[in-house]
């Protein structure tokens, strides 16, 4: 299935309306504003006091050049008391807001935050369209309509409650500005590979643009540098379409020739080298300005990082990760400050909370496995980018590389929530698909039971389209097509069913019937015997096997098969009757009479058996014998 077809199939599984790009952007922008509009008349709260009210960098008397030497709170970066939060561009926007408002009037500050969230949400529609559409959203109908999966993800991002701290709190502007330039950098990098005369080439211009935008994002908040990692992951797995499963298989076969690793030929190494060089330069300049000394935090800010026992630190860090995951999944309880003992440390393996990180990593490892080794290219692309957006922007807050000054902070989830929206939407599409294919299967089955085979065929076909591995729908559809004498399509469907589920006895038997009708007797016999192998007590299959043997004049085999059918199902009228007729036709009248009388004891009201036995008695000149 090509990228465009896969994107269309994904959209068909989501019960949502199509919208043009213009109206989709309007809807996303409107909802992003409506959900947070009530924060416009809020005051300066919590960290706003230090970052805005007491920050001299907002005043005219402070030189603009000093912003580049101070941290987010207005302290000198060289000071031991500095938190090393270097965000001069964010502070510059505060200064501009201060100047435009003519002083410390919070309404103007809040309105800008709401506008920034609206802009990010609308741009996210482009990001989601790119990821769900796989780059195919500029062709055909996608010019007119955004993918439904992209619209759903963008709507979820626009209204997610976990964004409250970033939008309603003025200091959250750092996260909003950072996210804005991260998205612009990502969208710019998506144009890094261009086609000239049907050959792939690297656009150095767009790579450099994305690096510049990443640097701007980092000057808004440190988290911005992580977009370089996102761009690299996008390049490897989406632009170059790296398939880990294929690579592992080639290495196992010791097939290491360059031709078999074509993704390297697409300019990947040059682009990744540019990203790496850009990242190193950005870090060097940053460290040159702010110094290499770490910020000074206390155990009140982040108690787990001060635990002496390594195991305690690891367990609690992972517990914090699970709490962040839960805030994305179920933002029922939000808090502006999770420090001051708000989350007690886990100090023992007997603490029941230890199950939370176990559940988190169980889910993450399952998603990672599917992302890397799924045979479906669309699944790999969406899951890899979903996990990439979820994990990579969160790394600076993970305590893995350096100690952070908080336990849990909802503001750092603004960018990771992009990955959450991708994963949730894709999971929702899978659930809808599973429900839909069962609904279509059940409707088809009911229609078939009523004798409305033409209508049943349509629903069975749709069930199989929604779930290409729906073996029961294949079996039932194959049966109907067999009855309509469309034998070749029936054989194809039944063959697919048994290749997917090798122990599906009913499908093996039906495949045997079709092969028998096509005069492929050896294949039919194998199919019948395979069905019996997986289902020993299968009287109908023995009956059909007997019919095959009868057609091949293997009379003893036919009688044995029918005898097995009647042994497993004594009321199997057709098997009894066929035995009588076969014995009659071969001149074994006495045996035919015995079989007929045995059958009538079990089925005294069966007229077909009575008629066959009467023919036998007539040939034996027993004209007055009572049945």
């Amino acid at each position: 299935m090509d990228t465009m077809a896969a994107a269309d199939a994904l959209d068909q599984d989501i019960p949502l309306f199509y919208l043009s790009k213009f109206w989709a952007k309007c809807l996303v922008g409107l909802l992003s504003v409506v959900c947070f509009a009530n924060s416009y008349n809020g005051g300066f709260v919590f960290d706003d006091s230090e970052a805005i009210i007491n920050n001299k960098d907002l005043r005219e008397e402070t030189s603009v050049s000093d912003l580049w030497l101070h941290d987010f709170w207005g302290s000198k970066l060289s000071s031991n008391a500095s938190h090393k939060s270097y965000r001069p561009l964010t502070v510059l926007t505060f200064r501009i807001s201060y100047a435009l408002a003519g002083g410390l009037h919070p309404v103007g500050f809040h309105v800008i935050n709401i506008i920034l969230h609206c802009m990010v949400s609308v741009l996210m529609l482009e990001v989601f369209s790119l990821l769900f559409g796989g780059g195919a959203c500029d062709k055909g109908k996608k010019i007119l309509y955004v993918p439904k999966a992209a619209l759903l993800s963008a709507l979820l991002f626009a209204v997610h409650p976990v964004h409250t701290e970033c939008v309603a709190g003025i200091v959250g502007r750092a996260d909003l500005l950072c996210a804005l330039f991260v998205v612009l950098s990502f969208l710019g990098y998506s144009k890094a590979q261009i086609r000239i005369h049907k050959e792939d080439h690297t656009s150095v211009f767009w790579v450099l643009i994305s690096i510049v935008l990443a640097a701007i994002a980092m000057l808004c908040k440190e988290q911005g540098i992580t977009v370089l990692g996102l761009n690299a992951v996008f390049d490897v797995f989406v632009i170059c379409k790296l398939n880990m499963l294929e690579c592992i298989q080639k290495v196992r076969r010791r097939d290491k020739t360059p031709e078999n690793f074509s993704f390297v030929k697409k300019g990947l190494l040059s682009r990744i080298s540019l990203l790496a060089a850009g990242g190193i330069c950005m870090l060097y300049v940053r460290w040159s300005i702010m110094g290499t000394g770490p910020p000074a935090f206390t155990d009140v800010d982040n108690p787990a990082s001060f635990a002496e026992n390594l195991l305690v630190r690891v367990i609690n860090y992972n517990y914090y990760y699970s709490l962040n995951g839960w805030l994305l999944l179920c933002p029922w309880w939000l808090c502006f400050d999770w420090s001051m003992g708000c989350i007690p440390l886990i100090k023992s393996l007997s603490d029941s909370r230890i199950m939370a990180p176990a559940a988190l990593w169980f889910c993450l490892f399952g998603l990672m496995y599917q992302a890397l080794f799924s045979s479906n290219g669309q699944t790999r692309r969406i899951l890899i980018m979903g996990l990439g957006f979820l994990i990579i922007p969160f790394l600076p807050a993970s305590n893995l590389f350096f100690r952070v000054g908080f336990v849990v902070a909802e503001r750092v989830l603004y960018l990771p929530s992009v990955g959450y929206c991708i994963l949730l939407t894709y999971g929702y599409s899978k659930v809808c698909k599973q429900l839909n294919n069962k609904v279509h299967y059940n409707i088809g089955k009911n229609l078939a039971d009523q004798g409305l085979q033409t209508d049943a065929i349509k629903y069975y076909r749709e069930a199989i389209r929604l779930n290409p591995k729906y073996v029961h729908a294949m079996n039932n559809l194959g049966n109907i097509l067999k009855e309509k004498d469309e034998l070749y399509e029936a054989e194809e469907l039944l063959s697919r069913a048994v290749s997917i589920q090798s122990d599906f006895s009913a499908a093996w038997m039906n495949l045997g019937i079709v092969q028998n009708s096509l005069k492929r007797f050896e294949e039919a016999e194998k199919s019948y015997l395979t069905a019996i192998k997986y289902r020993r007590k299968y009287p109908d299959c023995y009956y059909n096997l007997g019919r095959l043997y009868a057609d091949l004049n293997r009379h003893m085999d036919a009688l044995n098969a029918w005898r097995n059918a009647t042994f497993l199902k004594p009321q199997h009228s057709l098997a009894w009757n066929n035995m009588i007729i076969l014995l009659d036709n071969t001149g074994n009248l006495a045996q035919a009479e015995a079989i007929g009388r045995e059958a009538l004891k079990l089925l005294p009201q069966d007229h077909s058996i009575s008629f066959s036995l009467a023919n036998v008695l007539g040939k034996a000149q027993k004209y007055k014998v009572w049945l």
Side-chain angles (χ1 to χ4, degrees), residues 110-155:
H110 283 294
V111 168
I112 290 177
N113 273 27
I114 295 171
I115 292 173
L116 284 172
H117 176 61
C118 176
M119 292 171 63
V120 174
S121 298
V122 170
L123 283 172
M124 282 301 174
L125 189 62
E126 297 288 342
V127 173
F128 293 134
S129 295
L130 177 67
L131 297 179
F132 284 108
C137 53
D138 289 327
K139 300 176 182 178
K141 72 174 183 180
K142 297 301 177 182
I143 294 176
L144 301 176
Y145 301 112
V146 297
K148 290 194 288 186
L151 177 58
L152 183 60
S153 294
L155 291 173

Short mmCIF file of all heavy atoms in Angstrom, two decimals, residues 110-155:
data_model
loop_
_atom_site.label_atom_id
_atom_site.label_comp_id
_atom_site.label_asym_id
_atom_site.label_seq_id
_atom_site.Cartn_x
_atom_site.Cartn_y
_atom_site.Cartn_z
N HIS A 110 -1.02 38.54 29.09
CA HIS A 110 -1.85 37.33 28.94
C HIS A 110 -2.38 37.17 27.51
O HIS A 110 -2.41 36.05 26.98
CB HIS A 110 -3.03 37.38 29.92
CG HIS A 110 -2.66 37.06 31.32
ND1 HIS A 110 -2.23 35.82 31.72
CD2 HIS A 110 -2.67 37.84 32.44
CE1 HIS A 110 -1.98 35.83 33.02
NE2 HIS A 110 -2.24 37.04 33.49
N VAL A 111 -2.77 38.27 26.90
CA VAL A 111 -3.31 38.19 25.54
C VAL A 111 -2.26 37.65 24.57
O VAL A 111 -2.55 36.82 23.69
CB VAL A 111 -3.82 39.57 25.08
CG1 VAL A 111 -4.10 39.57 23.57
CG2 VAL A 111 -5.08 39.95 25.85
N ILE A 112 -1.01 38.10 24.73
CA ILE A 112 0.06 37.61 23.86
C ILE A 112 0.26 36.11 24.05
O ILE A 112 0.47 35.37 23.08
CB ILE A 112 1.37 38.39 24.13
CG1 ILE A 112 1.22 39.83 23.63
CG2 ILE A 112 2.54 37.70 23.43
CD1 ILE A 112 2.41 40.71 23.91
N ASN A 113 0.18 35.63 25.29
CA ASN A 113 0.30 34.19 25.52
C ASN A 113 -0.79 33.41 24.80
O ASN A 113 -0.54 32.36 24.20
CB ASN A 113 0.24 33.89 27.02
CG ASN A 113 1.60 33.97 27.68
OD1 ASN A 113 2.48 34.68 27.22
ND2 ASN A 113 1.77 33.25 28.77
N ILE A 114 -2.01 33.91 24.87
CA ILE A 114 -3.13 33.23 24.21
C ILE A 114 -2.92 33.21 22.70
O ILE A 114 -3.15 32.19 22.03
CB ILE A 114 -4.46 33.92 24.58
CG1 ILE A 114 -4.75 33.77 26.07
CG2 ILE A 114 -5.61 33.32 23.76
CD1 ILE A 114 -5.92 34.61 26.56
N ILE A 115 -2.45 34.34 22.15
CA ILE A 115 -2.20 34.41 20.71
C ILE A 115 -1.11 33.44 20.31
O ILE A 115 -1.20 32.75 19.28
CB ILE A 115 -1.83 35.85 20.29
CG1 ILE A 115 -3.05 36.77 20.47
CG2 ILE A 115 -1.34 35.89 18.85
CD1 ILE A 115 -2.74 38.25 20.26
N LEU A 116 -0.05 33.35 21.13
CA LEU A 116 1.04 32.43 20.82
C LEU A 116 0.55 30.98 20.82
O LEU A 116 0.92 30.19 19.94
CB LEU A 116 2.17 32.60 21.83
CG LEU A 116 3.07 33.83 21.64
CD1 LEU A 116 4.01 33.98 22.83
CD2 LEU A 116 3.86 33.72 20.35
N HIS A 117 -0.28 30.62 21.80
CA HIS A 117 -0.82 29.25 21.83
C HIS A 117 -1.67 28.99 20.60
O HIS A 117 -1.63 27.89 20.03
CB HIS A 117 -1.64 29.03 23.10
CG HIS A 117 -2.31 27.70 23.15
ND1 HIS A 117 -1.62 26.51 23.14
CD2 HIS A 117 -3.64 27.35 23.18
CE1 HIS A 117 -2.46 25.49 23.18
NE2 HIS A 117 -3.69 25.98 23.20
N CYS A 118 -2.43 29.98 20.18
CA CYS A 118 -3.25 29.85 18.97
C CYS A 118 -2.36 29.61 17.75
O CYS A 118 -2.63 28.72 16.93
CB CYS A 118 -4.10 31.10 18.79
SG CYS A 118 -5.07 31.12 17.27
N MET A 119 -1.28 30.36 17.64
CA MET A 119 -0.37 30.20 16.50
C MET A 119 0.28 28.82 16.49
O MET A 119 0.36 28.16 15.45
CB MET A 119 0.71 31.28 16.56
CG MET A 119 0.20 32.70 16.32
SD MET A 119 1.47 33.96 16.65
CE MET A 119 2.70 33.53 15.40
N VAL A 120 0.72 28.37 17.66
CA VAL A 120 1.35 27.05 17.74
C VAL A 120 0.35 25.96 17.37
O VAL A 120 0.67 25.03 16.62
CB VAL A 120 1.92 26.80 19.15
CG1 VAL A 120 2.44 25.38 19.28
CG2 VAL A 120 3.04 27.78 19.46
N SER A 121 -0.88 26.08 17.86
CA SER A 121 -1.90 25.07 17.59
C SER A 121 -2.21 24.98 16.10
O SER A 121 -2.35 23.88 15.54
CB SER A 121 -3.18 25.39 18.37
OG SER A 121 -2.95 25.37 19.77
N VAL A 122 -2.31 26.14 15.45
CA VAL A 122 -2.59 26.15 14.00
C VAL A 122 -1.42 25.54 13.23
O VAL A 122 -1.62 24.76 12.29
CB VAL A 122 -2.87 27.59 13.53
CG1 VAL A 122 -2.93 27.65 12.01
CG2 VAL A 122 -4.19 28.08 14.12
N LEU A 123 -0.19 25.86 13.64
CA LEU A 123 0.97 25.27 12.97
C LEU A 123 1.06 23.77 13.22
O LEU A 123 1.56 23.01 12.38
CB LEU A 123 2.25 25.95 13.45
CG LEU A 123 2.53 27.34 12.86
CD1 LEU A 123 3.72 27.99 13.55
CD2 LEU A 123 2.79 27.24 11.36
N MET A 124 0.58 23.33 14.37
CA MET A 124 0.58 21.90 14.67
C MET A 124 -0.27 21.13 13.66
O MET A 124 0.00 19.97 13.37
CB MET A 124 0.05 21.64 16.08
CG MET A 124 1.05 21.92 17.17
SD MET A 124 2.53 20.93 17.03
CE MET A 124 3.52 21.64 18.34
N LEU A 125 -1.27 21.80 13.11
CA LEU A 125 -2.09 21.15 12.08
C LEU A 125 -1.22 20.78 10.88
O LEU A 125 -1.40 19.70 10.28
CB LEU A 125 -3.22 22.09 11.65
CG LEU A 125 -4.30 21.51 10.75
CD1 LEU A 125 -5.04 20.38 11.44
CD2 LEU A 125 -5.27 22.59 10.32
N GLU A 126 -0.25 21.63 10.55
CA GLU A 126 0.67 21.33 9.46
C GLU A 126 1.59 20.16 9.83
O GLU A 126 1.86 19.28 9.00
CB GLU A 126 1.52 22.56 9.12
CG GLU A 126 0.73 23.75 8.62
CD GLU A 126 0.20 23.54 7.22
OE1 GLU A 126 0.70 22.64 6.53
OE2 GLU A 126 -0.72 24.28 6.81
N VAL A 127 2.07 20.17 11.07
CA VAL A 127 2.95 19.08 11.52
C VAL A 127 2.21 17.75 11.48
O VAL A 127 2.73 16.75 10.96
CB VAL A 127 3.46 19.37 12.95
CG1 VAL A 127 4.24 18.17 13.49
CG2 VAL A 127 4.35 20.60 12.96
N PHE A 128 1.01 17.72 12.03
CA PHE A 128 0.24 16.48 12.06
C PHE A 128 -0.13 16.03 10.65
O PHE A 128 -0.14 14.82 10.36
CB PHE A 128 -1.02 16.65 12.91
CG PHE A 128 -0.73 16.86 14.36
CD1 PHE A 128 -1.39 17.85 15.08
CD2 PHE A 128 0.18 16.06 15.03
CE1 PHE A 128 -1.14 18.04 16.42
CE2 PHE A 128 0.44 16.24 16.39
CZ PHE A 128 -0.22 17.24 17.08
N SER A 129 -0.45 16.96 9.77
CA SER A 129 -0.76 16.60 8.39
C SER A 129 0.44 15.95 7.72
O SER A 129 0.31 14.98 6.97
CB SER A 129 -1.19 17.84 7.60
OG SER A 129 -2.40 18.37 8.09
N LEU A 130 1.62 16.48 8.01
CA LEU A 130 2.84 15.94 7.45
C LEU A 130 3.11 14.53 7.96
O LEU A 130 3.45 13.62 7.19
CB LEU A 130 4.02 16.85 7.82
CG LEU A 130 5.42 16.42 7.38
CD1 LEU A 130 5.53 16.47 5.87
CD2 LEU A 130 6.47 17.31 8.03
N LEU A 131 2.90 14.31 9.26
CA LEU A 131 3.22 13.01 9.85
C LEU A 131 2.18 11.95 9.51
O LEU A 131 2.52 10.82 9.18
CB LEU A 131 3.35 13.16 11.37
CG LEU A 131 4.49 14.06 11.85
CD1 LEU A 131 4.52 14.14 13.36
CD2 LEU A 131 5.82 13.55 11.33
N PHE A 132 0.91 12.29 9.60
CA PHE A 132 -0.13 11.30 9.29
C PHE A 132 -0.25 11.08 7.79
O PHE A 132 -0.56 9.97 7.35
CB PHE A 132 -1.47 11.74 9.87
CG PHE A 132 -1.59 11.54 11.34
CD1 PHE A 132 -1.58 12.61 12.20
CD2 PHE A 132 -1.70 10.26 11.87
CE1 PHE A 132 -1.68 12.43 13.57
CE2 PHE A 132 -1.79 10.06 13.25
CZ PHE A 132 -1.78 11.15 14.10
N GLY A 133 -0.03 12.13 7.01
CA GLY A 133 -0.12 11.99 5.56
C GLY A 133 1.14 11.44 4.94
O GLY A 133 1.15 11.07 3.77
N GLY A 134 2.22 11.38 5.72
CA GLY A 134 3.48 10.85 5.21
C GLY A 134 4.05 11.65 4.06
O GLY A 134 4.71 11.13 3.18
N GLY A 135 3.78 12.96 4.05
CA GLY A 135 4.29 13.79 2.95
C GLY A 135 3.41 13.74 1.73
O GLY A 135 3.76 14.30 0.70
N ALA A 136 2.23 13.06 1.83
CA ALA A 136 1.36 12.90 0.67
C ALA A 136 0.20 13.87 0.67
O ALA A 136 -0.74 13.72 -0.06
CB ALA A 136 0.81 11.47 0.64
N CYS A 137 0.27 14.89 1.53
CA CYS A 137 -0.89 15.76 1.70
C CYS A 137 -0.91 16.92 0.71
O CYS A 137 -1.65 17.85 0.87
CB CYS A 137 -0.93 16.31 3.14
SG CYS A 137 0.59 17.10 3.65
N ASP A 138 -0.07 16.88 -0.30
CA ASP A 138 -0.11 17.93 -1.31
C ASP A 138 -0.61 17.41 -2.65
O ASP A 138 -0.43 18.01 -3.68
CB ASP A 138 1.29 18.54 -1.49
CG ASP A 138 1.69 19.37 -0.28
OD1 ASP A 138 0.80 19.98 0.33
OD2 ASP A 138 2.88 19.38 0.04
N LYS A 139 -1.20 16.23 -2.63
CA LYS A 139 -1.68 15.64 -3.88
C LYS A 139 -3.17 15.37 -3.78
O LYS A 139 -3.70 15.14 -2.70
CB LYS A 139 -0.94 14.33 -4.17
CG LYS A 139 0.58 14.49 -4.31
CD LYS A 139 1.23 13.13 -4.50
CE LYS A 139 2.74 13.25 -4.60
NZ LYS A 139 3.38 11.93 -4.75
N GLY A 140 -3.81 15.35 -4.93
CA GLY A 140 -5.20 14.92 -4.98
C GLY A 140 -6.09 15.71 -4.05
O GLY A 140 -6.01 16.92 -3.91
N LYS A 141 -6.94 14.98 -3.38
CA LYS A 141 -7.94 15.64 -2.54
C LYS A 141 -7.32 16.27 -1.31
O LYS A 141 -7.95 17.09 -0.64
CB LYS A 141 -9.03 14.66 -2.13
CG LYS A 141 -8.58 13.61 -1.11
CD LYS A 141 -9.76 12.79 -0.67
CE LYS A 141 -9.37 11.79 0.40
NZ LYS A 141 -10.51 10.98 0.84
N LYS A 142 -6.07 15.88 -0.96
CA LYS A 142 -5.44 16.45 0.22
C LYS A 142 -5.12 17.92 0.03
O LYS A 142 -4.79 18.62 0.97
CB LYS A 142 -4.17 15.67 0.57
CG LYS A 142 -4.43 14.22 0.94
CD LYS A 142 -5.37 14.12 2.12
CE LYS A 142 -5.68 12.67 2.45
NZ LYS A 142 -6.60 12.51 3.55
N ILE A 143 -5.17 18.42 -1.20
CA ILE A 143 -5.06 19.86 -1.41
C ILE A 143 -6.28 20.54 -0.80
O ILE A 143 -6.19 21.64 -0.26
CB ILE A 143 -4.96 20.17 -2.92
CG1 ILE A 143 -3.64 19.60 -3.47
CG2 ILE A 143 -5.05 21.65 -3.17
CD1 ILE A 143 -3.48 19.78 -4.95
N LEU A 144 -7.42 19.88 -0.87
CA LEU A 144 -8.66 20.47 -0.39
C LEU A 144 -8.93 20.17 1.07
O LEU A 144 -9.46 20.99 1.80
CB LEU A 144 -9.82 19.97 -1.24
CG LEU A 144 -9.73 20.25 -2.75
CD1 LEU A 144 -10.90 19.59 -3.46
CD2 LEU A 144 -9.73 21.75 -3.00
N TYR A 145 -8.54 18.97 1.54
CA TYR A 145 -8.88 18.55 2.89
C TYR A 145 -7.64 18.11 3.66
O TYR A 145 -6.78 17.42 3.12
CB TYR A 145 -9.87 17.39 2.84
CG TYR A 145 -11.15 17.70 2.13
CD1 TYR A 145 -11.45 17.09 0.91
CD2 TYR A 145 -12.07 18.60 2.65
CE1 TYR A 145 -12.63 17.37 0.24
CE2 TYR A 145 -13.24 18.89 1.99
CZ TYR A 145 -13.52 18.27 0.79
OH TYR A 145 -14.67 18.57 0.13
N VAL A 146 -7.59 18.51 4.93
CA VAL A 146 -6.52 18.00 5.79
C VAL A 146 -6.90 16.59 6.24
O VAL A 146 -8.09 16.25 6.32
CB VAL A 146 -6.32 18.90 7.02
CG1 VAL A 146 -5.88 20.28 6.61
CG2 VAL A 146 -7.59 18.98 7.87
N PRO A 147 -5.93 15.75 6.53
CA PRO A 147 -6.27 14.41 7.04
C PRO A 147 -7.07 14.52 8.33
O PRO A 147 -6.81 15.37 9.19
CB PRO A 147 -4.89 13.78 7.30
CG PRO A 147 -3.95 14.53 6.41
CD PRO A 147 -4.47 15.92 6.34
N LYS A 148 -8.07 13.67 8.47
CA LYS A 148 -8.91 13.71 9.68
C LYS A 148 -8.08 13.42 10.93
O LYS A 148 -8.34 13.98 11.99
CB LYS A 148 -10.06 12.72 9.55
CG LYS A 148 -11.10 13.15 8.52
CD LYS A 148 -12.38 12.34 8.63
CE LYS A 148 -12.22 10.93 8.14
NZ LYS A 148 -13.51 10.19 8.13
N ALA A 149 -7.10 12.53 10.80
CA ALA A 149 -6.23 12.23 11.94
C ALA A 149 -5.47 13.48 12.37
O ALA A 149 -5.29 13.73 13.57
CB ALA A 149 -5.26 11.10 11.57
N ALA A 150 -5.01 14.28 11.40
CA ALA A 150 -4.28 15.51 11.72
C ALA A 150 -5.19 16.51 12.41
O ALA A 150 -4.80 17.17 13.38
CB ALA A 150 -3.69 16.10 10.44
N LEU A 151 -6.41 16.63 11.92
CA LEU A 151 -7.37 17.56 12.53
C LEU A 151 -7.69 17.15 13.96
O LEU A 151 -7.71 17.99 14.87
CB LEU A 151 -8.64 17.61 11.69
CG LEU A 151 -9.78 18.49 12.23
CD1 LEU A 151 -9.31 19.93 12.39
CD2 LEU A 151 -10.99 18.42 11.31
N LEU A 152 -7.90 15.86 14.17
CA LEU A 152 -8.22 15.39 15.51
C LEU A 152 -7.06 15.65 16.47
O LEU A 152 -7.25 16.09 17.60
CB LEU A 152 -8.54 13.89 15.47
CG LEU A 152 -8.96 13.24 16.79
CD1 LEU A 152 -10.20 13.89 17.35
CD2 LEU A 152 -9.19 11.74 16.59
N SER A 153 -5.83 15.38 16.03
CA SER A 153 -4.66 15.62 16.87
C SER A 153 -4.49 17.09 17.18
O SER A 153 -4.18 17.47 18.32
CB SER A 153 -3.39 15.09 16.17
OG SER A 153 -3.43 13.70 16.03
N ALA A 154 -4.69 17.95 16.18
CA ALA A 154 -4.54 19.38 16.39
C ALA A 154 -5.60 19.91 17.36
O ALA A 154 -5.31 20.77 18.20
CB ALA A 154 -4.62 20.11 15.05
N LEU A 155 -6.81 19.40 17.24
CA LEU A 155 -7.87 19.82 18.16
C LEU A 155 -7.54 19.38 19.58
O LEU A 155 -7.75 20.14 20.54
CB LEU A 155 -9.21 19.21 17.73
CG LEU A 155 -9.81 19.77 16.43
CD1 LEU A 155 -11.04 18.97 16.02
CD2 LEU A 155 -10.18 21.24 16.60
#
